Amino acid sequence: MTIPAPRSIRLDALAYGGDYNPDQWPEEVWAEDARLMVEAGVNLVTLPVFSWPLLEPEPGVWDFAGLDRVIDLLWEHGIKIDLATATATPPAWLVREHPEVLPWNADGVRLEFGSRQSYCPSSPVFREAALRLTRALAERYGEHPALALWHVSNEYGDHVARCWCPESARHFRRWLEARYGSIAGLNEAWGTSCWGQNYLSFDQIEPPRTATGPINPAEVVDFERFSSDALLELFQSEVDVLREVTPEIAVTTNFMSLFRELDYWRFADAEDLVTDDAYPDPADARAHVGAALNYGLMRSLKEGRPWLLLEQAPSAVSWRDVNVPKAPGQMRLGSLQAVAHGSDGVMFFQWRQAKFGPEKFHSAMLGHRGERSRTWRETKALGAELRRLEPVRGTRVRAEVALVADWDSWWGVTQTESMPSQRLDWLTEARAWHAAAFALGQPVDVARAAGPFGDHRVLLVPNLYAATAEQAEALDAFVAAGGQLVVGPFSGVVDHCEQVHEGGAPGPLRDLLGVEVDEWWPLPDGGQRTVELGGRVHSTRVWGEWIEPADGTEVLARFADGDLAALPALTRRAHGAGAAWYLAAGLDEQGMRAVLSAVFTAAGVAIREPDTALEIVTRTDGATDYTFVLNHGREARTAPRIPGGTDLLTGVDAGAGLPLDAFGVAVVAHPANRPANTERPA
Ligand code: GAL
């Protein structure tokens, strides 16, 4: 796959708008929609995401009349289109004519039509039909002046990220053949001599359906890789058609934040603009912390370029067990948080609240009460405010800290069988590490394990279970050049075929970290173990290890009790101009903050009194910094003083420290290079 040069969205403003489903409304309503969109400051609308059955009512019969009218109407109102290829939902006729298009679960059960995404990613029948539709749309609307961006499919993997049907099995075999070359190669890589699994030919391999007992881990992890690749291949095939017909138009597919099932590094390489759908839970007082990490990933997927928040809820969603609305001000705050983290706009699901279907209780910009609804008032207000933030468009976020996300390790460590503990979860650990950096005041980028690491000073690796020599070399070079690297437990365990590294963990990271792992000591459920660090005792979570440091490796913390008492829990090894730290336990919140405080101090990265309610993020164009001060708390507070700064939202001078209401935000423009995110709040 060649990496395309990113094209830009054709929109000369921060994007504002949402998903629009005109098919669900009589045409009289469209004119009102267009008028109200203008009133709200909407300049971009996503459609027709789920309209395939209307665009192609019968096989090969096209009906674009309705879509023509709606696009023209919006364009007459100056609104541009994020044009979906509408391939996320095959029509009933396709599924009934070709039931083999339907996906199967691991138990071999075919998943019925009646929801959305009713397709197997590997189905040639589905692909052919989807590409026909993509081409028809590209040919029809490629020259339309309203076309700003291609929106391929919708949230790949949302409902169906893995398929175990016979077609997927055939595709999996082809994928394995390309990866291993020969069946002998596969037998060796998979270690099939264990439990008598040797294969004579690729034909004998099935995807890992529900089996008699634990399935070969190499097969399990290869199936994760394959399944991500199968959707990527489908995505790429649509991208190829779009590039052929409309080479100038930027392409995206909407991501789902830190989503385990798809390797977003690889997906981002195939598109021009990274877009994300973000649904932080208003009922979770810490949801903004997780959101910050998601947004760190989004900007990092394309080397710090701006991305776009393509979906968020104006208030409540309809798919959690309990769907709590956003409190007044919370939607604005969450929107501006995304902009702070590099999003060049704010988009919603959806424009007009549905009257029927599974999303009728999902909030919308224009709720069931229409112009009388609270979300409408807040939608209009935000649209107006966004225009004041125009100077931030195209600027980039400053971050000195990055966190490594590696999907191979994520898949490996979250296998549901045959692991030392089922309690170690990559995402939970990544979030815990990130939360400590957040509390200490540092925005965090996300990096690939093999780099590049840009000019980050600190690299956090909560877990790198499946480490390669290439990654180890890149991490080594980062430290040698002066970086502070922190690696978490259960790293460097296996290679990419689930084979344990010779000599044990941390495998290729052994010299750099200067430790050897003798045994893993996961915490039993309900068990307790503590670590003493800098005179304070911290409780541990989930994990512990018996490690032995090499000569020259400093021991900074030790287990304080239990079978591991007095053994090292945190080590540091100097290397070149930097240092490599190893943490042999899951730590509680205070403990993680203590570790990162020490690391940040060693790196010359500023820290503040821990605070999870105040977030300060700076975007810059090199000459002017735009410092977003976000109060995620329900108490009013004062923003730090930023001399020479002016709040773009209010025009108020920020020199004396701005008052921030509960959920308040200030966006302070000031001359670049002031370390604004290091100042203490007044
Ligand atoms: C997304 C999806 C949208 C809508 C939304 C509701 O996952 O892309 O189509 O269903 O969720 O929150």
Side-chain angles (χ1 to χ4, degrees):
M1 191 177 68
T2 52
I3 298 176
R7 296 144 183 86
S8 303
I9 182 171
R10 290 190 159 172
L11 188 69
D12 293 327
L14 291 172
Y16 194 56
D19 275 49
Y20 182 36
N21 289 300
D23 313 343
Q24 297 175 10
W25 299 96
E27 216 163 317
E28 310 81 88
V29 176
W30 300 0
E32 182 187 71
D33 282 330
R35 176 179 65 78
L36 291 176
M37 282 177 188
V38 171
E39 204 176 309
V42 166
N43 57 15
L44 185 70
V45 153
T46 300
L47 53 70
V49 180
F50 301 111
S51 304
W52 185 348
L54 298 178
L55 301 173
E56 193 182 7
E58 289 173 54
V61 176
W62 304 111
D63 181 358
F64 293 117
L67 186 56
D68 286 353
R69 286 200 296 282
V70 82
I71 292 180
D72 288 344
L73 174 72
L74 294 176
W75 182 231
E76 278 161 24
H77 288 77
I79 295 163
K80 292 201 160 185
I81 312 294
D82 163 36
L83 194 60
T85 57
T87 51
T89 292
W93 57 254
L94 180 66
V95 169
R96 292 301 174 233
E97 221 170 273
H98 298 280
E100 73 274 19
V101 158
L102 289 171
W104 288 20
N105 71 12
D107 294 330
V109 174
R110 198 169 75 188
L111 304 176
E112 237 326 323
F113 185 81
S115 181
R116 56 181 178 181
Q117 278 197 8
S118 322
Y119 64 84
C120 156
S122 299
S123 163
V125 173
F126 173 75
R127 185 181 300 193
E128 201 194 309
L131 295 189
R132 227 174 31 227
L133 174 61
T134 302
R135 185 173 293 278
L137 283 163
E139 285 172 351
R140 188 160 192 96
Y141 299 107
E143 304 282 317
H144 200 294
L147 178 59
L149 178 68
W150 283 117
H151 175 116
V152 175
S153 188
N154 193 65
E155 290 192 341
Y156 279 114
D158 177 20
H159 301 292
V160 181
R162 308 284 179 257
C163 174
W164 287 261
C165 80
E167 195 58 63
S168 293
R170 282 191 282 278
H171 193 190
F172 184 41
R173 287 178 206 121
R174 289 198 300 276
W175 185 92
L176 290 170
E177 204 162 348
R179 183 174 171 87
Y180 295 109
S182 67
I183 198 66
L186 176 136
N187 278 318
E188 196 184 328
W190 279 14
T192 53
S193 53
C194 175
W195 287 8
Q197 291 174 357
N198 302 57
Y199 295 103
L200 295 178
S201 75
F202 285 97
D203 293 343
Q204 294 178 335
I205 299 173
E206 293 293 332
R209 297 202 188 93
T210 308
T212 48
I215 299 176
N216 186 326
E219 175 175 354
V220 168
V221 175
D222 265 349
F223 188 67
E224 303 279 13
R225 267 186 210 111
F226 155 75
S227 300
S228 174
D229 279 3
L231 278 166
L232 176 58
E233 214 180 288
L234 185 60
F235 175 39
Q236 184 71 54
S237 67
E238 283 204 37
V239 173
D240 290 345
V241 170
L242 296 171
R243 293 222 196 286
E244 183 199 319
V245 185
T246 59
E248 306 297 323
I249 306 295
V251 172
T252 192
T253 188
N254 44 342
F255 290 162
M256 287 180 286
S257 300
L258 268 161
F259 181 57
R260 176 189 177 276
E261 315 306 319
L262 302 183
D263 184 341
Y264 279 157
W265 293 117
R266 288 164 60 73
F267 272 73
D269 283 346
E271 64 182 1
D272 296 298
L273 176 70
V274 171
T275 55
D276 191 39
D277 298 350
Y279 290 94
D281 185 354
D284 172 2
R286 293 280 186 94
H288 60 278
V289 180
L293 177 59
N294 295 335
Y295 303 155
L297 171 68
M298 293 306 143
R299 66 173 173 267
S300 304
L301 286 170
K302 283 215 179 277
E303 298 93 28
R305 289 193 180 85
W307 56 281
L308 179 59
L309 176 68
L310 204 54
E311 279 186 29
Q312 66 162 344
S315 189
V317 299
S318 55
W319 39 262
R320 293 194 171 98
D321 286 357
V322 179
N323 299 299
V324 173
K326 292 183 179 172
Q330 221 175 356
M331 176 277 272
R332 169 184 186 256
L333 171 66
S335 303
L336 296 180
Q337 185 193 18
V339 177
H341 281 277
S343 173
D344 269 358
V346 174
M347 304 280 291
F348 295 89
F349 181 89
Q350 62 174 331
W351 163 253
R352 187 182 273 277
Q353 189 166 16
K355 203 167 135 50
F356 45 73
E359 296 187 309
K360 61 183 179 295
F361 299 129
H362 194 293
S363 61
M365 299 164 82
L366 191 61
H368 289 147
R369 287 179 72 214
E371 290 166 79
R372 295 193 307 281
S373 59
R374 177 173 67 90
T375 57
W376 172 245
R377 285 197 298 280
E378 294 192 19
T379 295
K380 272 203 330 187
L382 181 63
E385 273 196 304
L386 218 50
R387 286 199 280 269
R388 291 184 216 134
L389 296 185
E390 197 49 42
V392 307
R393 188 160 59 91
T395 61
R396 296 191 176 209
V397 173
R398 288 220 170 116
E400 296 181 309
V401 179
L403 180 143
V404 165
D406 177 68
W407 264 262
D408 288 300
S409 289
W410 193 349
W411 292 324
V413 96
T414 49
Q415 290 173 75
T416 54
E417 295 176 324
S418 316
M419 299 297 277
S421 167
Q422 288 298 326
R423 307 286 175 257
L424 186 68
D425 171 50
W426 185 86
L427 187 56
T428 307
E429 295 312 307
R431 286 190 175 145
W433 286 46
H434 166 264
F438 184 103
L440 296 171
Q442 288 299 322
V444 175
D445 283 341
V446 176
R448 298 180 200 235
F453 303 125
D455 41 20
H456 295 108
R457 297 186 193 200
V458 174
L459 209 49
L460 306 177
V461 185
N463 172 268
L464 192 61
Y465 167 72
T468 64
E470 186 206 354
Q471 292 166 347
E473 261 171 48
L475 295 171
D476 188 290
F478 171 78
V479 176
Q484 300 290 323
L485 166 74
V486 199
V487 177
F490 205 44
S491 290
V493 178
V494 296
D495 63 15
H496 279 186
C497 299
E498 278 292 307
Q499 302 218 0
V500 171
H501 284 298
E502 208 139 312
L509 302 170
R510 194 175 306 133
D511 291 345
L512 175 59
L513 297 171
V515 295
E516 289 189 4
V517 179
D518 186 67
E519 261 182 325
W520 295 294
W521 284 73
L523 264 184
D525 290 340
Q528 288 184 359
R529 189 184 284 146
T530 59
V531 158
E532 196 191 321
L533 171 61
R536 288 190 60 177
V537 173
H538 300 281
S539 52
T540 66
R541 297 178 299 106
V542 176
W543 199 263
E545 286 176 0
W546 183 306
I547 63 169
E548 291 179 5
D551 287 347
T553 300
E554 295 167 75
V555 176
L556 304 176
R558 293 181 184 276
F559 289 101
D561 48 21
D563 291 326
L564 299 181
L567 287 171
L570 177 69
T571 63
R572 177 174 58 196
R573 188 173 182 85
H575 174 53
W581 309 55
Y582 186 67
L583 181 59
L587 281 187
D588 68 5
E589 194 171 301
Q590 302 302 328
M592 251 351 276
R593 288 178 189 171
V595 171
L596 292 202
S597 294
V599 172
F600 287 2
T601 303
V605 168
I607 53 175
R608 66 176 183 192
E609 281 301 317
D611 188 338
T612 50
L614 181 71
E615 184 178 21
I616 301 182
V617 186
T618 297
R619 290 181 69 162
T620 187
D621 61 15
T624 305
D625 280 359
Y626 301 95
T627 295
F628 289 68
V629 187
L630 305 130
N631 178 13
H632 296 283
R634 287 170 180 268
E635 310 279 311
R637 62 195 305 163
T638 306
R641 292 179 303 104
I642 306 182
T646 309
D647 183 1
L648 291 180
L649 297 172
T650 58
V652 172
D653 185 297
L658 297 164
L660 288 178
D661 294 338
F663 299 143
V665 183
V667 183
V668 180
H670 56 106
N673 290 326
R674 287 184 41 78
N677 60 338
T678 65
E679 277 208 15
R680 293 274 178 88

